Structure formats: structure tokens, C-alpha cells
């Protein structure tokens, strides 16, 4: 199977579950594909907004939630603090990055994303917020992705090397 088809199939399975899970109020593609930079090898970068009352339990059970979409080869919380997964897929494994946020943090999270999607529709995969998520994503279209302070960004990136 072409990697792009494997990615699309995985995303379709995830979105089918997202749209029927009452705990989830929104789902975004916050990665390269929302910005038009994705290719057939791109991973999935999905942010989910979960009802506040359900977030702690959702985060506690995230591996079981993620396992419903395919054979998990790897599932862990990465160095930046959110879940990463690798699913068995052909012709090679498929990686996904998840970030989970409370519904009440929607505006704060959206205003902090360093993304410039092609359109709100490219970024918002599911909006159960009566359009609030889509409106906030629309504000990101065309935003500059340059760091606010180039020296701080340089120091941080250089330090990681």
C-alpha cells in the first residue's frame, strides 16, 4: 500500500471514532499537511479537545483509545510531553502525534499554535464547538511562523543539538 493511502486510512479510522465519541469536542491537524507541506511520508499530528470533566480519564486511558485504530508497535509520551504512536502499516510503519487539551483551553491553545494552515478547513477535522474551533483556526491562516525572538530560538535549537 502507498504510504499516503495508509495515512489516509488511519486518519479516516481516527476521525470516525472522534466524531462519535461524546467526550471529544474538536480535532485538528496541526502538522505539515494542514499547511500544504505534507507528502506521502507525512505522519499524523492531531490535537483533540476533550470535555474538561473527561480529560483526566481520557489521558489516563489514551493508549487503549489509540489502540483501536490499528496494531500499535509503540506508544509513549515523547520528550515534548504528549503521546506519540507508531502503527503497523505497509509499506512502512505510520507515526502519529497526539495532543490532548481541555475544551475550556480551546482559545488559549489555538492562540499558541505555531501553525499557518492553508485554510480553517485544512486544519479543522472535526468541530463540535458550534464553530468556535473553526473561527479560531481561521485566525491562524497566513500567520507568520517566524520566532518572536530569533536569539532565543537559536539558543534553544542549538542547545538541543
Amino acid at each position: 500500500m502507498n504510504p499516503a493511502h495508509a495515512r489516509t486510512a488511519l486518519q479516516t479510522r481516527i476521525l470516525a471514532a472522534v466524531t462519535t465519541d461524546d467526550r471529544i469536542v474538536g480535532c485538528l491537524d496541526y502538522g505539515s499537511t494542514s499547511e500544504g507541506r505534507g507528502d506521502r511520508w507525512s505522519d499524523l499530528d492531531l490535537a483533540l479537545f476533550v470535555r474538561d470533566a473527561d480529560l483526566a480519564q481520557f489521558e489516563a486511558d489514551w493508549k487503549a483509545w489509540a489502540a483501536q485504530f490499528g496494531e500499535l508497535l509503540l506508544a509513549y509520551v515523547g520528550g515534548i510531553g504528549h503521546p506519540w504512536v507508531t502503527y503497523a502499516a505497509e509499506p512502512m510503519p505510520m507515526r502519529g502525534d497526539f495532543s490532548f487539551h481541555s475544551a475550556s483551553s480551546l482559545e488559549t491553545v489555538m492562540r499558541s499554535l505555531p501553525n499557518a494552515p492553508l485554510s480553517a478547513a485544512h486544519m479543522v477535522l472535526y468541530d463540535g464547538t458550534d464553530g468556535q474551533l473553526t473561527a479560531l483556526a481561521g485566525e491562524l491562516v497566513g500567520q507568520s511562523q517566524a520566532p518572536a525572538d530569533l536569539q532565543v530560538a537559536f539558543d534553544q535549537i542549538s542547545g538541543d543539538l
Side-chain angles (χ1 to χ4, degrees), residues 29-140:
D29 175 344
Y30 66 91
S32 60
T33 54
S34 72
E35 297 174 340
R37 299 180 294 107
D39 62 23
R40 64 190 199 129
W41 303 104
S42 294
D43 66 343
L44 285 173
D45 299 293
L46 300 177
L48 276 67
F49 292 90
V50 179
R51 288 187 317 208
D52 289 29
D54 297 316
L55 182 61
Q57 190 63 51
F58 191 90
E59 288 180 319
D61 297 334
W62 77 267
K63 286 182 184 179
W65 178 84
Q68 69 183 308
F69 308 120
E71 180 187 350
L72 276 176
L73 301 176
L74 183 63
Y76 67 101
V77 174
I80 57 175
H82 62 78
W84 289 6
V85 295
T86 303
Y87 292 98
E90 292 295 330
M92 61 183 280
M94 175 64 55
R95 191 180 118 184
D97 301 347
F98 294 114
S99 64
F100 306 128
H101 308 279
S102 65
S104 65
S105 70
L106 182 72
E107 191 167 334
T108 302
V109 170
M110 292 301 292
R111 295 199 191 285
S112 70
L113 288 175
N115 294 80
L118 293 175
S119 69
H122 280 86
M123 180 177 243
V124 179
L125 303 178
Y126 169 66
D127 186 349
T129 67
D130 294 325
Q132 181 184 10
L133 182 58
T134 300
L136 290 165
E139 294 176 14
L140 299 176

Side-chain angles (χ1 to χ4, degrees), residues 144-161:
S144 171
Q145 294 188 8
D149 186 323
L150 290 175
Q151 185 63 52
V152 169
F154 176 81
D155 291 348
Q156 180 180 18
I157 291 168
S158 297
D160 288 345
L161 294 175

